[in-house]
Amino acid sequence: MDYINPKLVLETADLEPGEITWKSPSNLAIVKYWGKYGDQLPKNPSISLTLENAFTQTTLFYRPKEVPGPDISLEFFFNEEPQPAFGEKVQKYLARLVPIFPFLSQLDLEIHSQNSFPHSAGIASSASSMSALALCLCSLEDQLFQTLSEDEAFDQKASFIARLGSGSACRSVYPYMAMWGQQSGVSGSSDLHAIPMEENIHEVYKTLHDDILIVSRKEKAVSSTTGHALMDQHPFAEARFNQAKQNTHFLMEALTNGDLETFGRIAENEALTLHALMMASNPGFFLIHPNTLTIIEKVRQFREETKHPVYFSLDAGPNLHLLYPESIIHDVRFLVETELTPLCEDGYYLPDWAGEGPEQL
Ligand code: PMV
């Protein structure tokens, strides 16, 4: 499946100008994608929680091109300000998509994007922004050619297109949880796009909380592209990819039967493994902060004392995701507000939770 389609060409120049808006969330990987091959294909399967509160809202304006030509004509605005640097990246991405969406080079495009979270919050925005854009592009195709009217085909193509922008973005198109990457025994699983997991998860995960504790607002010191590349020569690569497949297998069981303890054990094992892999890379690097470790100790101590099922995860940075079911929110928020936010930059945390997936506005 490559979606290359030379037929998606506009026959007429008297197309009405139009606009499409999508709001799409970020996601948190429970089993992590770390290491890729080919065109943004994952070396191991991953499973993520779709968030709700951390999202990107993107509007794509289109009209027939004033000056015909093969190039992509794009103006890009972030928070209503022109953003030429990011605009250039998006332009390159759209140019790569022309074999899939040939009509893109027949239009003047304008994209306006904004995030629900502050720019310098240390929250990665590539999953939400690339999925929002991919959804706009698929809606545009459907509006112009009526080719994606079936939800399943639409979502799958949006996931595929989002993946080409940022691997993890392909998981953001589905509600609650998504899986990306081929896994033996899981029918439909694919390296090319994510698949929905809503049907295979226990109710407890549909109201799961993920409070994002911002230990540092700084931009990531190491891009994920560099990080993935370090897995190419990593001495532990094969063991890691096998571990991820095993964790995926056991996580899927825990998702079906609502076993939060196994869920939490895998989430923490994956988070610590991700950072251990970075430290053991060549060159090795260190993305956690002393406060990250202090928070981890406090969370584990709280769990020990209260027996509450509260667990942590980490992305490729120092910020900590606190995962817990709705039933213990009062006790966990008390811990967050009294003991954990003092360890966050400016005391900032972003409350988030399992989300229902993207929405067209
Ligand atoms: O999608 P990328 O290339 O930004 O990589 C994301 C990598 C992690 O966030 C560390 C893990 C994941 O699966 O999202």
Side-chain angles (χ1 to χ4, degrees):
M1 183 218 317
D2 57 16
Y3 290 115
I4 290 176
N5 189 351
K7 288 196 198 131
L8 298 179
V9 172
L10 295 165
E11 302 288 346
T12 157
D14 58 1
L15 169 81
E16 285 292 313
E19 63 178 87
I20 290 159
T21 300
W22 275 91
K23 170 183 156 185
S24 187
S26 185
N27 68 76
L28 168 74
I30 306 299
V31 174
K32 308 287 182 186
Y33 147 60
W34 198 240
K36 59 180 170 181
Y37 70 97
D39 202 354
Q40 301 261 78
L41 298 163
K43 288 255 180 83
N44 65 259
S46 56
I47 293 184
S48 59
L49 177 71
T50 301
L51 299 178
E52 178 71 23
N53 208 12
F55 64 84
T56 299
Q57 185 170 316
T58 296
T59 301
L60 172 67
F61 295 90
Y62 62 92
R63 55 182 186 274
K65 225 178 201 177
E66 249 172 53
V67 187
D71 293 342
I72 295 291
S73 155
L74 171 69
E75 276 188 275
F76 186 88
F77 297 82
F78 183 71
N79 288 342
E80 298 308 325
E81 303 271 345
Q83 267 281 335
F86 197 62
E88 219 172 281
K89 277 194 192 162
V90 175
Q91 188 154 13
K92 279 194 188 137
Y93 168 66
L94 296 179
R96 279 182 57 208
L97 296 179
V98 168
I100 297 174
F101 300 124
F103 55 88
L104 287 180
S105 56
Q106 297 178 285
L107 301 168
D108 281 328
L109 303 169
E110 202 175 294
I111 295 175
H112 290 245
S113 202
Q114 59 196 54
N115 294 337
S116 61
F117 45 92
H119 180 55
S120 57
I123 298 174
S125 62
S126 66
S128 54
S129 60
M130 295 318 294
S131 56
L133 179 54
L135 288 156
C136 286
L137 295 172
C138 289
S139 285
L140 177 57
E141 175 190 320
D142 193 46
Q143 243 174 55
L144 300 177
F145 302 94
Q146 295 77 50
T147 36
L148 289 172
S149 52
E150 262 183 45
D151 286 352
E152 200 182 323
F154 180 95
D155 291 347
Q156 194 156 303
K157 186 162 185 178
S159 178
F160 178 100
I161 300 297
R163 184 201 99 228
L164 296 173
S166 169
S168 57
C170 75
R171 296 183 308 235
S172 278
V173 304
Y174 293 111
Y176 307 119
M177 290 198 139
M179 176 182 177
W180 171 40
Q182 211 176 342
Q183 167 84 344
S184 67
V186 182
S187 88
S189 65
S190 167
D191 286 356
L192 299 173
H193 57 81
I195 56 173
M197 294 197 68
E198 185 177 358
E199 305 284 299
N200 309 86
I201 64 171
H202 188 277
E203 288 298 311
V204 73
Y205 299 106
K206 296 188 179 169
T207 53
L208 198 74
H209 284 265
D210 176 357
D211 289 345
I212 311 172
L213 303 169
I214 307 301
V215 172
S216 168
R217 295 170 181 266
K218 280 205 199 90
E219 291 276 315
K220 280 195 283 187
V222 180
S223 73
S224 56
T225 309
T226 309
H228 290 294
L230 287 168
M231 288 308 286
D232 293 343
Q233 304 298 326
H234 203 291
F236 305 143
E238 274 323 299
R240 160 59 193 158
F241 302 139
N242 288 332
Q243 175 201 38
K245 284 175 203 156
Q246 248 181 38
N247 276 344
T248 298
H249 174 81
F250 290 115
L251 179 61
M252 287 187 77
E253 270 179 19
L255 292 179
T256 313
N257 60 26
D259 173 359
L260 275 174
E261 200 180 321
T262 301
F263 168 87
R265 189 179 46 72
I266 294 174
E268 295 192 356
N269 174 251
E270 282 285 319
L272 296 178
T273 298
L274 173 70
H275 285 265
L277 287 165
M278 290 189 239
M279 290 180 218
S281 295
N282 198 359
F285 50 91
F286 205 74
L287 295 187
I288 38 182
H289 185 281
N291 284 0
T292 315
L293 294 179
T294 309
I295 294 177
I296 289 175
E297 279 178 357
K298 282 184 182 283
V299 169
R300 287 185 160 175
Q301 195 187 344
F302 175 82
R303 187 164 74 219
E304 190 58 43
E305 284 167 9
T306 60
K307 307 291 174 221
H308 280 332
V310 50
Y311 305 96
F312 68 85
S313 182
L314 303 163
D315 254 330
N319 302 329
L320 195 126
H321 291 250
L322 206 56
L323 301 163
Y324 58 92
E326 172 73 21
S327 56
I328 56 169
I329 187 165
H330 294 296
D331 289 358
V332 176
R333 284 286 164 79
F334 185 74
L335 172 79
V336 168
E337 280 158 24
T338 56
E339 294 204 39
L340 306 186
T341 50
L343 296 157
C344 295
E345 190 166 343
D346 304 325
Y348 182 67
Y349 81 101
L350 183 79
D352 214 332
W353 52 89
E356 291 180 12
E359 190 187 350
Q360 185 169 10
L361 303 178

